[in-house]
Amino acid sequence: MSRLKDNVNGGPSELRGLLKRDIVVAPGVFSGISAIVAERAGFRAAYLSGSGVAGMMGLPDLSVTTLPEVAAETYRVTTVTRMPLIVDVDTGFGETVNVMRTVRMLEDAGAAAIHIEDQEQPKKCGHLNGKRVIDRDDMVRKIRAAVSTRKNDDFMIIARTDARSINGIEDAIDRANAYLEAGADAIFTEALESREEFVEMRKKVKGYLMANMTEDGKSPLLSVADLKEIGYNIVIFPLTAFRGMLKAIDSIYKDLMKDGTQRNFLDRIMRRSEFYDLIGYYDYEKEDNVFYKI
């Protein structure tokens, strides 16, 4: 059957089940087709980065995207993949009432989890300088609003704190524990600066922990095995595939401009038959033909 009929997104309960069994490895996806490729590679969960959504639109990660745009991209991913999807919703797109609407829309769009950060607006990439964080109690209110709004108790509310780069590791730990007490299901401490800091977070924060392994950031590039050994529960690779895609596109366009033909690099592109196999084209076609035989 085609994905239109056969696909049943894993959703919140699937993500919870994965967490109970092993560390969850979620590569960054940025479109429906990228999610299909990730699933075919063997991944069991995926991550939609706010920076990736903005990047696909040619925009910076500076709070310029909107809730409907993120919800729409979430829906496009969850309708073509069985993998549970963790979604970056920045600061929740506003204060407590906005956070409540964000939870409703992302649940309806098929997300399994969202993470909300404690930055001030306009937020920045967590690995850049110049960030500012809101008061801890203001973030606690956002978390409580998110938890009280979800329809499915398995839908995960992940609290992200950016306090490490601003106030130091102790404040990040303090916030993490306060956010768990407020009802957050997991903690994402952004921009830790050494393996030792990852270990310290694990020792002093008792809930599920998520790690961000992004290139060119403040954190060391620990492997999944490293993070599992430390005791982390989720690891994301937000923009690795996105940046790889951009590098490949840049090379293709340059060669096409230079040579005026694709004959010299056909081995570097996915051919029509491979693409049709990837998306299940002929299954869609067969299902469509059924209705002409009735």
Side-chain angles (χ1 to χ4, degrees), residues 36-181:
I36 293 172
V37 174
E39 185 174 28
R40 189 173 70 165
F43 288 101
R44 301 287 300 280
Y47 175 72
L48 182 64
S49 160
S51 182
V53 173
M56 283 293 286
M57 298 166 66
L59 297 171
D61 185 19
L62 287 170
S63 301
V64 292
T65 51
T66 66
L67 171 57
E69 288 168 338
V70 173
E73 202 59 61
T74 298
Y75 177 80
R76 282 191 281 268
V77 169
T78 60
T79 51
V80 295
T81 176
R82 298 169 184 82
M83 297 183 296
L85 183 68
I86 303 167
V87 181
D88 174 4
V89 296
D90 293 344
T91 63
F93 299 98
E95 300 308 315
T96 53
V97 172
N98 308 88
V99 168
M100 293 167 73
R101 182 167 184 250
T102 296
V103 169
R104 293 188 188 109
M105 288 186 68
L106 269 294
E107 266 198 286
D108 289 345
I114 58 172
H115 72 72
I116 307 170
E117 64 201 58
D118 57 6
Q119 280 197 53
E120 289 184 11
Q121 293 279 72
K123 61 89 61 187
K124 288 188 174 184
C125 168
H127 292 260
L128 297 180
N129 296 322
K131 300 184 297 182
R132 300 184 302 272
V133 290
I134 61 175
D135 184 80
R136 187 190 72 173
D137 291 341
D138 289 337
M139 182 62 174
V140 164
R141 280 188 282 273
K142 285 189 176 188
I143 294 166
R144 288 175 176 163
V147 171
S148 69
T149 302
R150 62 184 172 190
K151 292 176 286 188
N152 184 345
D153 288 342
D154 283 339
F155 182 80
M156 291 187 68
I157 307 298
I158 302 170
R160 166 177 150 177
T161 179
D162 284 72
R164 162 62 187 91
S165 300
I166 303 163
N167 302 325
I169 186 72
E170 290 304 322
D171 186 49
I173 291 168
D174 178 69
R175 284 172 178 257
N177 285 315
Y179 299 164
L180 286 171
E181 187 176 348

Side-chain angles (χ1 to χ4, degrees), residues 226-279:
D226 292 332
L227 290 162
K228 183 176 179 178
E229 181 183 11
I230 293 169
Y232 273 69
N233 308 98
I234 306 171
V235 55
I236 57 173
F237 297 87
L239 294 171
T240 306
F242 176 75
R243 290 171 174 146
M245 176 195 70
L246 291 181
K247 191 76 171 177
I249 291 174
D250 181 63
S251 175
I252 291 291
Y253 283 157
K254 285 178 178 175
D255 286 349
L256 189 59
M257 182 67 186
K258 175 172 64 75
D259 299 336
T261 179
Q262 68 274 58
R263 290 196 303 263
N264 299 326
F265 54 81
L266 286 173
D267 60 330
R268 288 158 49 200
I269 67 174
M270 181 175 284
R271 306 304 292 271
R272 185 194 301 268
S273 61
E274 295 175 287
F275 175 62
Y276 280 8
D277 178 64
L278 179 66
I279 63 173

